Amino acid sequence: MTPLDPPNPPLTRKDFTSDQEVRWCPGCGDYAILAAVQRMLPELGVRRENTVFISGIGCSSRFPYYMNTYGFHTIHGRAPAIATGLKLANPQLDVWLITGDGDGLSIGGNHLMHLLRRNLNLQIILFNNRIYGLTKGQYSPTSLLGKRSPSSPMGSVDNPIAPAAFALGCGARFVARGVDTDAKNLIATLTRAHEFQGTGFVEVFQNCPVFNDGAFDHFTAKDVAAQQQLHLEHGKPMRFGDDKGLRLRPGSLDIEVVTVGENGVTEADLLVHDETNRAQAFLLANLEPPAFPVAVGVLFRSDENLVPFEVGMHEQNKQARARGLGDINALMRKGHTWKVDGDPTGDQPG
Amino acid sequence: MDTFASTNSTSQRELIESVVIRFAGDSGDGMQLTGSQFSDTTALMGNDLSTLPDFPAEIRAPAGTTFGVSGFQVHFAAHDIMTPGDAPDVLVAMNPAALKVNLRDLKPGGLLVVNTGAFTAGNLKKAGYDKNPLEDSSLDGYRLLKIDITKHTLQSVESFGLGNKEAVRAKNMWTLGLMMWMFGRERESTAEWLRGKFAKNPNIAEANIAALNAGHVYGETAEMPQGIHAYEVPKARLQEGHYRNVTGNEATAWGLLTGGKLAGLELVLGSYPITPASTILHSLSNLRAYGITTFQAEDEIAAVCAAIGASYAGALGITTTSGPGLALKTEAIGLAVSTELPLVVVDVQRGGPSTGLPTKTEQSDLLFAVYGRNGDCPLVVLAASTPGDCFTMAVEAVRLATKYMTPVILLTDGFLANSAEPWKIPDINSFEPFPVKHRTEPAGFHPFLRDPQTLARNWAVPGTPGLEHRIGGLEKNYDSGNISYDPDNHHKMVKVRAAKIAGVGDDIPLQKIDQGDDSGDLLVVGWGSTYGAISSAVLGARKAGLKVSHAHIRYMHPMPKNLGEVLKRFKHVLVPEMNNGMLVKILRSDYLVDARGLNKIAGQPFKIAEIEAEIRGLLASA
């Protein structure tokens, strides 16, 4: 895929903002994500006409209407399948898939799985608010056990899924996380996803102020964020808070929290983040407060070059058409055929 | 067998006008191959023909059981024929189960060829016979030819050093050789086919050819029982041209490619394997050189959604399926109706409901195709009437989908899909191209701007500068394409989508009378694969002096504009269908005519006689 030249003159955030009034609830985390994306795209130097936002159904899936690019608000859970057809028809397009925890992991879990394993070259932003917002507050596949909601008044007994771990299990080659209100890090992470040649999967912790307010406060609130978030950087030791760090518990494959400077622990004892290590990424994806910090940033980036699905398909098309497009008339005349002239020799019944 | 008035005295072969042969055996016996090879040879020799493959849903049902019996019926003649034949003149039964399942269809006095080598105590028991029917008088009403085909086959391939299993497997070729002798068929094309199929294993190819030849030699040399001899079926008088055998699924695949070429569009097929549609996916997967990308999706929903995504990108999305798959696709088809994107959905109908009868034919998705979506959700529905017509209607599906920016459902069925007929190969240059023009002009653009004539919206494709826009399944403002919840606007949009589809009625041929007069006592109205049976039945009734005509509908929604008027020119209307009454319901509700149904829901095509009897009965009581 040959990259297009950046637009000249360069575009601004305003160029990526559509004329449609944004209709999310006041205080919704979606506003922050929308703003971050609209700020980022000019920095990426992409063209509006080559950019496509595809979404399913749910609050987050209204996103395309607010982007002054191409956009398709599809049906519940099916955005990955629509995006697959779009990329098969035109691999040059720069596609962002917008989904949520219900759209992507419940009704559309199957399609998301197959998109991830096929490694199409596009970006997925999964807005995880751990609730169904648009249908008024039912529990979602990422809602925690015990969640009380209109459809689980006695508390949910439905064991939740960790989106990043799901993506890794599906064979995703780029898995990252961000926080809706942390624009700086979110933009950096989305930019990395965009650079990646293959599916870049980014889970964003997104607050729903109406139906699940504060679901992530225990690690996103200003006063605890530094203590409860581990910002991953490739090649750097896993440090968080003032003096905390992660290391492998000796003799096990478990991660433990240690304090640097206590009990003889030094920075050299800490795990060093290796983006290319899938097993380590699995451990990071499953860390949960309060015992552990939440890992954000790029959890995993495969360094094996798996050809994206649509690229492989187009390579085959090229091979098949090496001698030009086939001649259908000739195709239909291959194999056993026969000619009948005006005067058949067959006798006719008298 | 229809025999000629006089036999040809210069030849030892009895001249016959037409014959129906059914090959039947275990699903592992290779009966489909035997039948199709016999058919190909027959076509090459200039006969008209029609075939009916009939196989179980199980790939290899337990050997020797009645539910594992696979059959292939071929009807060929010295004249134009349109059905695979009501009842076989010749039944080849490779084992007791095949005899048990098929004997009831054999014509009285018909020729019965059995492989005695398979009539073991174990096989007889598995087929449910208490005693061997070859040894009592139960087959006295037929001309019985008993041959130990297994033994003869083993002898014929002895010198090739095959294992016993492989050697026995050649018995279908021995049988084919015998039948080729009996009906004067040439073996060269089958030998050539075997050499190609077993190119990597020439020993197997030669062994099979030896078996084929041995069966033929047996016919030439063995003394046949009284009343059994060789026949000749002279060539049919076909229209001048270049011919081949074609099945409905092959013709559909080629029609889609041709449509894509005429539209000037790349095609993207999203499909999920399902009987009996899968062979369209297989065919097209081999034809990527012809302008198609084929995608085997994770499920039926993803298959149609990928097709919609491709259409959004400016290609033409296609999906191929059968009933259960169409059920899964309905929400996405609604999205394509709402976003007014072109889409071709091929539904190769099979027995339903639910999983139903996967390998058997039926016409029971008509109401579902026309009405089966949430909301007021009109689209175009077409139906092919013969294997060759699948080509024409697939081209038509592409034309209408792209011209009107709408999904089109093309209905075929399991019978059309697998049945073969000689087909005069069309020249695609003789079709009028219908090139698609994507919008590029930004001035005055909005995504739901319509062509005043067709009401189709303009098709703007991602990648086009200045036309950035958003579409989706929410209702759109008529004047801007933006989301709108306005009550009057919704009313207007529902009406305009309906008017657009209704307008297709001005762009399709008027309903013609396929056979008979323009008015009369009875009009037999059919659709889909019943064409041949209805046509033959009406011919029979007309020969008997009845004032009957036949009209076959290929445009199921919208229907031809003159259809109501055509129906009213007849005193009675009869609608034979392989379902519990669907077209008849549409005709009654749309045209207020007292149409009557004739329903066969047996997983098998109509027999000519069944329709002819109904015609006679209806007119006698009228």
Side-chain angles (χ1 to χ4, degrees), chain A residues 49 69-70 73 118 313 317 321 326 329 332 334 337-338 340, chain B residues 241-244 266 288-289 293-294 298 427 463-464 470-471:
Chain A
E49 70 269 21
T69 61
Y70 282 92
H73 178 219
R118 290 186 185 120
M313 291 290 273
N317 281 354
R321 300 170 195 179
N329 265 340
M332 297 194 293
K334 263 190 213 160
T337 67
W338 66 97
V340 173
Chain B
H242 198 169
Y243 282 79
R244 68 174 303 130
E266 176 78 18
R288 304 235 321 248
T293 301
T294 54
E298 60 268 26
D427 176 2
T464 315
R470 278 63 56 192
I471 59 171

PDB file of all heavy atoms in Angstrom, chain A residues 49 69-70 73 118 313 317 321 326 329 332 334 337-338 340, chain B residues 241-244 266 288-289 293-294 298 427 463-464 470-471:
ATOM      1  N   GLU A  49     -10.602  12.560   2.607  1.00  0.00           N
ATOM      2  CA  GLU A  49     -11.351  11.718   1.665  1.00  0.00           C
ATOM      3  C   GLU A  49     -10.902  10.257   1.717  1.00  0.00           C
ATOM      4  O   GLU A  49     -11.598   9.378   1.246  1.00  0.00           O
ATOM      5  CB  GLU A  49     -11.231  12.251   0.226  1.00  0.00           C
ATOM      6  CG  GLU A  49      -9.859  12.098  -0.414  1.00  0.00           C
ATOM      7  CD  GLU A  49      -8.955  13.315  -0.191  1.00  0.00           C
ATOM      8  OE1 GLU A  49      -9.226  14.073   0.762  1.00  0.00           O
ATOM      9  OE2 GLU A  49      -8.006  13.482  -0.971  1.00  0.00           O
ATOM     10  N   THR A  69     -15.353  13.134   7.595  1.00  0.00           N
ATOM     11  CA  THR A  69     -14.634  12.187   6.729  1.00  0.00           C
ATOM     12  C   THR A  69     -15.720  11.312   6.113  1.00  0.00           C
ATOM     13  O   THR A  69     -16.900  11.608   6.257  1.00  0.00           O
ATOM     14  CB  THR A  69     -13.697  11.294   7.558  1.00  0.00           C
ATOM     15  OG1 THR A  69     -14.491  10.546   8.484  1.00  0.00           O
ATOM     16  CG2 THR A  69     -12.666  12.118   8.327  1.00  0.00           C
ATOM     17  N   TYR A  70     -15.346  10.228   5.471  1.00  0.00           N
ATOM     18  CA  TYR A  70     -16.361   9.238   5.115  1.00  0.00           C
ATOM     19  C   TYR A  70     -16.729   8.464   6.373  1.00  0.00           C
ATOM     20  O   TYR A  70     -15.875   8.260   7.258  1.00  0.00           O
ATOM     21  CB  TYR A  70     -15.845   8.295   4.027  1.00  0.00           C
ATOM     22  CG  TYR A  70     -15.888   8.949   2.658  1.00  0.00           C
ATOM     23  CD1 TYR A  70     -14.784   9.634   2.154  1.00  0.00           C
ATOM     24  CD2 TYR A  70     -17.056   8.920   1.898  1.00  0.00           C
ATOM     25  CE1 TYR A  70     -14.828  10.261   0.921  1.00  0.00           C
ATOM     26  CE2 TYR A  70     -17.122   9.538   0.660  1.00  0.00           C
ATOM     27  CZ  TYR A  70     -16.013  10.208   0.175  1.00  0.00           C
ATOM     28  OH  TYR A  70     -16.074  10.824  -1.044  1.00  0.00           O
ATOM     29  N   HIS A  73     -22.414   4.277   9.675  1.00  0.00           N
ATOM     30  CA  HIS A  73     -23.014   3.821  10.928  1.00  0.00           C
ATOM     31  C   HIS A  73     -23.826   2.575  10.567  1.00  0.00           C
ATOM     32  O   HIS A  73     -24.874   2.684   9.941  1.00  0.00           O
ATOM     33  CB  HIS A  73     -23.914   4.962  11.448  1.00  0.00           C
ATOM     34  CG  HIS A  73     -24.660   4.660  12.699  1.00  0.00           C
ATOM     35  ND1 HIS A  73     -25.951   5.085  12.896  1.00  0.00           N
ATOM     36  CD2 HIS A  73     -24.322   3.999  13.821  1.00  0.00           C
ATOM     37  CE1 HIS A  73     -26.372   4.706  14.100  1.00  0.00           C
ATOM     38  NE2 HIS A  73     -25.402   4.046  14.671  1.00  0.00           N
ATOM     39  N   ARG A 118      -7.505 -12.079  11.369  1.00  0.00           N
ATOM     40  CA  ARG A 118      -7.150 -11.841   9.966  1.00  0.00           C
ATOM     41  C   ARG A 118      -6.164 -10.679   9.827  1.00  0.00           C
ATOM     42  O   ARG A 118      -5.564 -10.512   8.777  1.00  0.00           O
ATOM     43  CB  ARG A 118      -8.400 -11.533   9.139  1.00  0.00           C
ATOM     44  CG  ARG A 118      -9.303 -12.732   8.962  1.00  0.00           C
ATOM     45  CD  ARG A 118     -10.458 -12.431   8.013  1.00  0.00           C
ATOM     46  NE  ARG A 118     -11.352 -13.568   7.970  1.00  0.00           N
ATOM     47  CZ  ARG A 118     -12.633 -13.547   8.314  1.00  0.00           C
ATOM     48  NH1 ARG A 118     -13.192 -12.411   8.685  1.00  0.00           N
ATOM     49  NH2 ARG A 118     -13.363 -14.636   8.266  1.00  0.00           N
ATOM     50  N   MET A 313      -5.059 -10.960  -0.094  1.00  0.00           N
ATOM     51  CA  MET A 313      -6.093 -11.226  -1.099  1.00  0.00           C
ATOM     52  C   MET A 313      -5.780 -10.479  -2.398  1.00  0.00           C
ATOM     53  O   MET A 313      -5.959 -11.016  -3.497  1.00  0.00           O
ATOM     54  CB  MET A 313      -7.469 -10.801  -0.580  1.00  0.00           C
ATOM     55  CG  MET A 313      -7.992 -11.662   0.545  1.00  0.00           C
ATOM     56  SD  MET A 313      -8.444 -13.335   0.017  1.00  0.00           S
ATOM     57  CE  MET A 313     -10.115 -13.067  -0.506  1.00  0.00           C
ATOM     58  N   ASN A 317      -5.168 -11.710  -6.199  1.00  0.00           N
ATOM     59  CA  ASN A 317      -5.863 -11.151  -7.365  1.00  0.00           C
ATOM     60  C   ASN A 317      -4.866 -10.802  -8.456  1.00  0.00           C
ATOM     61  O   ASN A 317      -5.083 -11.074  -9.636  1.00  0.00           O
ATOM     62  CB  ASN A 317      -6.656  -9.901  -6.986  1.00  0.00           C
ATOM     63  CG  ASN A 317      -7.977 -10.226  -6.316  1.00  0.00           C
ATOM     64  OD1 ASN A 317      -8.360 -11.397  -6.235  1.00  0.00           O
ATOM     65  ND2 ASN A 317      -8.656  -9.222  -5.823  1.00  0.00           N
ATOM     66  N   ARG A 321      -4.500 -12.317 -12.166  1.00  0.00           N
ATOM     67  CA  ARG A 321      -4.709 -11.435 -13.318  1.00  0.00           C
ATOM     68  C   ARG A 321      -3.379 -11.023 -13.957  1.00  0.00           C
ATOM     69  O   ARG A 321      -3.303  -9.986 -14.622  1.00  0.00           O
ATOM     70  CB  ARG A 321      -5.476 -10.184 -12.878  1.00  0.00           C
ATOM     71  CG  ARG A 321      -6.829 -10.545 -12.295  1.00  0.00           C
ATOM     72  CD  ARG A 321      -7.492  -9.362 -11.629  1.00  0.00           C
ATOM     73  NE  ARG A 321      -8.594  -9.834 -10.797  1.00  0.00           N
ATOM     74  CZ  ARG A 321      -9.368  -9.050 -10.073  1.00  0.00           C
ATOM     75  NH1 ARG A 321      -9.176  -7.751 -10.071  1.00  0.00           N
ATOM     76  NH2 ARG A 321     -10.343  -9.551  -9.337  1.00  0.00           N
ATOM     77  N   GLY A 326      -9.545 -11.828 -17.247  1.00  0.00           N
ATOM     78  CA  GLY A 326      -9.966 -12.973 -18.046  1.00  0.00           C
ATOM     79  C   GLY A 326     -11.089 -12.640 -19.008  1.00  0.00           C
ATOM     80  O   GLY A 326     -11.836 -11.684 -18.811  1.00  0.00           O
ATOM     81  N   ASN A 329     -16.176 -14.776 -22.316  1.00  0.00           N
ATOM     82  CA  ASN A 329     -16.629 -15.564 -23.476  1.00  0.00           C
ATOM     83  C   ASN A 329     -15.772 -16.818 -23.650  1.00  0.00           C
ATOM     84  O   ASN A 329     -16.292 -17.908 -23.911  1.00  0.00           O
ATOM     85  CB  ASN A 329     -16.545 -14.718 -24.754  1.00  0.00           C
ATOM     86  CG  ASN A 329     -17.881 -14.058 -25.067  1.00  0.00           C
ATOM     87  OD1 ASN A 329     -18.928 -14.497 -24.578  1.00  0.00           O
ATOM     88  ND2 ASN A 329     -17.844 -13.004 -25.863  1.00  0.00           N
ATOM     89  N   MET A 332     -16.468 -19.502 -20.888  1.00  0.00           N
ATOM     90  CA  MET A 332     -17.692 -20.293 -21.052  1.00  0.00           C
ATOM     91  C   MET A 332     -17.577 -21.289 -22.206  1.00  0.00           C
ATOM     92  O   MET A 332     -18.423 -22.164 -22.352  1.00  0.00           O
ATOM     93  CB  MET A 332     -18.888 -19.359 -21.264  1.00  0.00           C
ATOM     94  CG  MET A 332     -19.144 -18.467 -20.047  1.00  0.00           C
ATOM     95  SD  MET A 332     -20.752 -17.649 -20.085  1.00  0.00           S
ATOM     96  CE  MET A 332     -20.564 -16.535 -21.458  1.00  0.00           C
ATOM     97  N   LYS A 334     -14.754 -23.071 -22.647  1.00  0.00           N
ATOM     98  CA  LYS A 334     -13.746 -24.067 -22.283  1.00  0.00           C
ATOM     99  C   LYS A 334     -14.428 -25.399 -21.987  1.00  0.00           C
ATOM    100  O   LYS A 334     -15.582 -25.432 -21.595  1.00  0.00           O
ATOM    101  CB  LYS A 334     -13.025 -23.613 -21.001  1.00  0.00           C
ATOM    102  CG  LYS A 334     -11.719 -22.907 -21.248  1.00  0.00           C
ATOM    103  CD  LYS A 334     -11.008 -22.741 -19.903  1.00  0.00           C
ATOM    104  CE  LYS A 334     -10.190 -21.471 -19.857  1.00  0.00           C
ATOM    105  NZ  LYS A 334      -9.901 -21.057 -18.489  1.00  0.00           N
ATOM    106  N   THR A 337     -17.673 -28.668 -25.244  1.00  0.00           N
ATOM    107  CA  THR A 337     -18.702 -27.870 -25.911  1.00  0.00           C
ATOM    108  C   THR A 337     -18.922 -28.484 -27.288  1.00  0.00           C
ATOM    109  O   THR A 337     -18.120 -29.297 -27.743  1.00  0.00           O
ATOM    110  CB  THR A 337     -18.257 -26.401 -26.104  1.00  0.00           C
ATOM    111  OG1 THR A 337     -17.170 -26.380 -27.037  1.00  0.00           O
ATOM    112  CG2 THR A 337     -17.818 -25.775 -24.796  1.00  0.00           C
ATOM    113  N   TRP A 338     -19.999 -28.128 -27.929  1.00  0.00           N
ATOM    114  CA  TRP A 338     -20.236 -28.634 -29.283  1.00  0.00           C
ATOM    115  C   TRP A 338     -21.011 -27.616 -30.084  1.00  0.00           C
ATOM    116  O   TRP A 338     -21.671 -26.754 -29.508  1.00  0.00           O
ATOM    117  CB  TRP A 338     -20.954 -29.977 -29.249  1.00  0.00           C
ATOM    118  CG  TRP A 338     -22.357 -29.912 -28.712  1.00  0.00           C
ATOM    119  CD1 TRP A 338     -23.500 -29.833 -29.440  1.00  0.00           C
ATOM    120  CD2 TRP A 338     -22.761 -29.920 -27.335  1.00  0.00           C
ATOM    121  NE1 TRP A 338     -24.587 -29.786 -28.599  1.00  0.00           N
ATOM    122  CE2 TRP A 338     -24.165 -29.846 -27.311  1.00  0.00           C
ATOM    123  CE3 TRP A 338     -22.072 -29.989 -26.118  1.00  0.00           C
ATOM    124  CZ2 TRP A 338     -24.889 -29.829 -26.128  1.00  0.00           C
ATOM    125  CZ3 TRP A 338     -22.798 -29.970 -24.936  1.00  0.00           C
ATOM    126  CH2 TRP A 338     -24.183 -29.896 -24.948  1.00  0.00           C
ATOM    127  N   VAL A 340     -23.773 -26.786 -33.092  1.00  0.00           N
ATOM    128  CA  VAL A 340     -24.907 -27.299 -33.860  1.00  0.00           C
ATOM    129  C   VAL A 340     -25.047 -26.402 -35.073  1.00  0.00           C
ATOM    130  O   VAL A 340     -25.124 -25.185 -34.945  1.00  0.00           O
ATOM    131  CB  VAL A 340     -26.204 -27.249 -33.022  1.00  0.00           C
ATOM    132  CG1 VAL A 340     -27.404 -27.626 -33.873  1.00  0.00           C
ATOM    133  CG2 VAL A 340     -26.082 -28.155 -31.807  1.00  0.00           C
TER     134      VAL A 340
ATOM    135  N   GLY B 241     -25.868 -23.083 -33.083  1.00  0.00           N
ATOM    136  CA  GLY B 241     -25.052 -22.338 -32.119  1.00  0.00           C
ATOM    137  C   GLY B 241     -24.010 -23.197 -31.449  1.00  0.00           C
ATOM    138  O   GLY B 241     -23.841 -24.368 -31.779  1.00  0.00           O
ATOM    139  N   HIS B 242     -23.325 -22.580 -30.516  1.00  0.00           N
ATOM    140  CA  HIS B 242     -22.257 -23.220 -29.756  1.00  0.00           C
ATOM    141  C   HIS B 242     -22.837 -23.604 -28.397  1.00  0.00           C
ATOM    142  O   HIS B 242     -23.371 -22.762 -27.700  1.00  0.00           O
ATOM    143  CB  HIS B 242     -21.097 -22.233 -29.610  1.00  0.00           C
ATOM    144  CG  HIS B 242     -19.810 -22.874 -29.230  1.00  0.00           C
ATOM    145  ND1 HIS B 242     -18.618 -22.213 -29.255  1.00  0.00           N
ATOM    146  CD2 HIS B 242     -19.516 -24.123 -28.812  1.00  0.00           C
ATOM    147  CE1 HIS B 242     -17.644 -23.016 -28.879  1.00  0.00           C
ATOM    148  NE2 HIS B 242     -18.172 -24.188 -28.601  1.00  0.00           N
ATOM    149  N   TYR B 243     -22.746 -24.885 -28.051  1.00  0.00           N
ATOM    150  CA  TYR B 243     -23.434 -25.384 -26.862  1.00  0.00           C
ATOM    151  C   TYR B 243     -22.480 -25.956 -25.832  1.00  0.00           C
ATOM    152  O   TYR B 243     -21.362 -26.375 -26.160  1.00  0.00           O
ATOM    153  CB  TYR B 243     -24.423 -26.496 -27.249  1.00  0.00           C
ATOM    154  CG  TYR B 243     -25.691 -25.994 -27.855  1.00  0.00           C
ATOM    155  CD1 TYR B 243     -25.734 -25.598 -29.193  1.00  0.00           C
ATOM    156  CD2 TYR B 243     -26.848 -25.905 -27.098  1.00  0.00           C
ATOM    157  CE1 TYR B 243     -26.907 -25.135 -29.763  1.00  0.00           C
ATOM    158  CE2 TYR B 243     -28.030 -25.435 -27.658  1.00  0.00           C
ATOM    159  CZ  TYR B 243     -28.063 -25.059 -28.986  1.00  0.00           C
ATOM    160  OH  TYR B 243     -29.223 -24.599 -29.527  1.00  0.00           O
ATOM    161  N   ARG B 244     -22.967 -26.023 -24.591  1.00  0.00           N
ATOM    162  CA  ARG B 244     -22.318 -26.800 -23.553  1.00  0.00           C
ATOM    163  C   ARG B 244     -23.390 -27.222 -22.560  1.00  0.00           C
ATOM    164  O   ARG B 244     -24.511 -26.700 -22.593  1.00  0.00           O
ATOM    165  CB  ARG B 244     -21.253 -25.980 -22.833  1.00  0.00           C
ATOM    166  CG  ARG B 244     -21.831 -24.826 -21.993  1.00  0.00           C
ATOM    167  CD  ARG B 244     -20.770 -24.131 -21.169  1.00  0.00           C
ATOM    168  NE  ARG B 244     -20.107 -25.089 -20.322  1.00  0.00           N
ATOM    169  CZ  ARG B 244     -18.777 -25.196 -20.238  1.00  0.00           C
ATOM    170  NH1 ARG B 244     -18.002 -24.384 -20.918  1.00  0.00           N
ATOM    171  NH2 ARG B 244     -18.246 -26.077 -19.441  1.00  0.00           N
ATOM    172  N   GLU B 266     -15.681  -3.898 -10.273  1.00  0.00           N
ATOM    173  CA  GLU B 266     -15.076  -5.038  -9.590  1.00  0.00           C
ATOM    174  C   GLU B 266     -16.161  -5.650  -8.693  1.00  0.00           C
ATOM    175  O   GLU B 266     -17.000  -4.942  -8.129  1.00  0.00           O
ATOM    176  CB  GLU B 266     -13.894  -4.532  -8.756  1.00  0.00           C
ATOM    177  CG  GLU B 266     -13.209  -5.565  -7.894  1.00  0.00           C
ATOM    178  CD  GLU B 266     -12.260  -6.496  -8.669  1.00  0.00           C
ATOM    179  OE1 GLU B 266     -11.865  -6.148  -9.799  1.00  0.00           O
ATOM    180  OE2 GLU B 266     -11.944  -7.567  -8.135  1.00  0.00           O
ATOM    181  N   ARG B 288     -10.986 -15.562 -10.036  1.00  0.00           N
ATOM    182  CA  ARG B 288     -10.579 -14.222  -9.572  1.00  0.00           C
ATOM    183  C   ARG B 288      -9.952 -13.429 -10.713  1.00  0.00           C
ATOM    184  O   ARG B 288      -9.887 -12.200 -10.657  1.00  0.00           O
ATOM    185  CB  ARG B 288      -9.623 -14.348  -8.385  1.00  0.00           C
ATOM    186  CG  ARG B 288     -10.250 -15.174  -7.262  1.00  0.00           C
ATOM    187  CD  ARG B 288     -10.318 -14.561  -5.916  1.00  0.00           C
ATOM    188  NE  ARG B 288      -9.225 -13.780  -5.449  1.00  0.00           N
ATOM    189  CZ  ARG B 288      -8.424 -14.138  -4.440  1.00  0.00           C
ATOM    190  NH1 ARG B 288      -8.561 -15.326  -3.868  1.00  0.00           N
ATOM    191  NH2 ARG B 288      -7.505 -13.316  -4.006  1.00  0.00           N
ATOM    192  N   ALA B 289      -9.499 -14.126 -11.725  1.00  0.00           N
ATOM    193  CA  ALA B 289      -8.933 -13.425 -12.888  1.00  0.00           C
ATOM    194  C   ALA B 289     -10.002 -12.621 -13.629  1.00  0.00           C
ATOM    195  O   ALA B 289      -9.689 -11.756 -14.436  1.00  0.00           O
ATOM    196  CB  ALA B 289      -8.293 -14.422 -13.844  1.00  0.00           C
ATOM    197  N   THR B 293     -13.289 -10.619  -6.274  1.00  0.00           N
ATOM    198  CA  THR B 293     -12.574 -11.027  -5.063  1.00  0.00           C
ATOM    199  C   THR B 293     -13.559 -11.875  -4.263  1.00  0.00           C
ATOM    200  O   THR B 293     -14.704 -11.448  -4.053  1.00  0.00           O
ATOM    201  CB  THR B 293     -12.154  -9.791  -4.241  1.00  0.00           C
ATOM    202  OG1 THR B 293     -11.330  -8.968  -5.062  1.00  0.00           O
ATOM    203  CG2 THR B 293     -11.385 -10.192  -3.000  1.00  0.00           C
ATOM    204  N   THR B 294     -13.138 -13.061  -3.839  1.00  0.00           N
ATOM    205  CA  THR B 294     -14.060 -13.938  -3.118  1.00  0.00           C
ATOM    206  C   THR B 294     -13.598 -14.087  -1.683  1.00  0.00           C
ATOM    207  O   THR B 294     -12.436 -14.329  -1.417  1.00  0.00           O
ATOM    208  CB  THR B 294     -14.145 -15.325  -3.772  1.00  0.00           C
ATOM    209  OG1 THR B 294     -12.827 -15.859  -3.881  1.00  0.00           O
ATOM    210  CG2 THR B 294     -14.773 -15.237  -5.146  1.00  0.00           C
ATOM    211  N   GLU B 298     -16.839 -15.531   8.150  1.00  0.00           N
ATOM    212  CA  GLU B 298     -17.005 -16.376   9.341  1.00  0.00           C
ATOM    213  C   GLU B 298     -18.439 -16.826   9.541  1.00  0.00           C
ATOM    214  O   GLU B 298     -18.691 -17.782  10.261  1.00  0.00           O
ATOM    215  CB  GLU B 298     -16.496 -15.651  10.592  1.00  0.00           C
ATOM    216  CG  GLU B 298     -17.206 -14.323  10.926  1.00  0.00           C
ATOM    217  CD  GLU B 298     -16.504 -13.125  10.297  1.00  0.00           C
ATOM    218  OE1 GLU B 298     -15.824 -13.309   9.269  1.00  0.00           O
ATOM    219  OE2 GLU B 298     -16.634 -12.014  10.834  1.00  0.00           O
ATOM    220  N   ASP B 427     -23.033 -14.843 -26.244  1.00  0.00           N
ATOM    221  CA  ASP B 427     -21.891 -13.977 -26.503  1.00  0.00           C
ATOM    222  C   ASP B 427     -22.092 -12.740 -25.649  1.00  0.00           C
ATOM    223  O   ASP B 427     -23.067 -11.990 -25.856  1.00  0.00           O
ATOM    224  CB  ASP B 427     -21.864 -13.609 -27.989  1.00  0.00           C
ATOM    225  CG  ASP B 427     -20.744 -12.621 -28.302  1.00  0.00           C
ATOM    226  OD1 ASP B 427     -19.981 -12.273 -27.364  1.00  0.00           O
ATOM    227  OD2 ASP B 427     -20.647 -12.202 -29.468  1.00  0.00           O
ATOM    228  N   GLY B 463     -12.694   7.950  -0.796  1.00  0.00           N
ATOM    229  CA  GLY B 463     -11.523   8.188  -1.636  1.00  0.00           C
ATOM    230  C   GLY B 463     -11.755   9.360  -2.575  1.00  0.00           C
ATOM    231  O   GLY B 463     -10.815   9.883  -3.160  1.00  0.00           O
ATOM    232  N   THR B 464     -13.033   9.772  -2.708  1.00  0.00           N
ATOM    233  CA  THR B 464     -13.355  10.870  -3.622  1.00  0.00           C
ATOM    234  C   THR B 464     -13.289  12.195  -2.861  1.00  0.00           C
ATOM    235  O   THR B 464     -14.062  12.407  -1.925  1.00  0.00           O
ATOM    236  CB  THR B 464     -14.782  10.694  -4.197  1.00  0.00           C
ATOM    237  OG1 THR B 464     -14.945   9.336  -4.595  1.00  0.00           O
ATOM    238  CG2 THR B 464     -15.007  11.620  -5.375  1.00  0.00           C
ATOM    239  N   ARG B 470     -21.602  10.854   5.604  1.00  0.00           N
ATOM    240  CA  ARG B 470     -21.896   9.760   6.499  1.00  0.00           C
ATOM    241  C   ARG B 470     -23.226   9.139   6.106  1.00  0.00           C
ATOM    242  O   ARG B 470     -24.179   9.873   5.778  1.00  0.00           O
ATOM    243  CB  ARG B 470     -22.012  10.253   7.953  1.00  0.00           C
ATOM    244  CG  ARG B 470     -20.701  10.437   8.696  1.00  0.00           C
ATOM    245  CD  ARG B 470     -19.755  11.486   8.136  1.00  0.00           C
ATOM    246  NE  ARG B 470     -20.318  12.825   8.008  1.00  0.00           N
ATOM    247  CZ  ARG B 470     -19.741  13.813   7.333  1.00  0.00           C
ATOM    248  NH1 ARG B 470     -18.598  13.655   6.697  1.00  0.00           N
ATOM    249  NH2 ARG B 470     -20.339  15.002   7.243  1.00  0.00           N
ATOM    250  N   ILE B 471     -23.280   7.812   6.120  1.00  0.00           N
ATOM    251  CA  ILE B 471     -24.568   7.141   5.918  1.00  0.00           C
ATOM    252  C   ILE B 471     -24.752   6.139   7.053  1.00  0.00           C
ATOM    253  O   ILE B 471     -23.807   5.812   7.770  1.00  0.00           O
ATOM    254  CB  ILE B 471     -24.660   6.405   4.560  1.00  0.00           C
ATOM    255  CG1 ILE B 471     -23.563   5.342   4.441  1.00  0.00           C
ATOM    256  CG2 ILE B 471     -24.593   7.402   3.415  1.00  0.00           C
ATOM    257  CD1 ILE B 471     -23.727   4.436   3.237  1.00  0.00           C
TER     258      ILE B 471
END
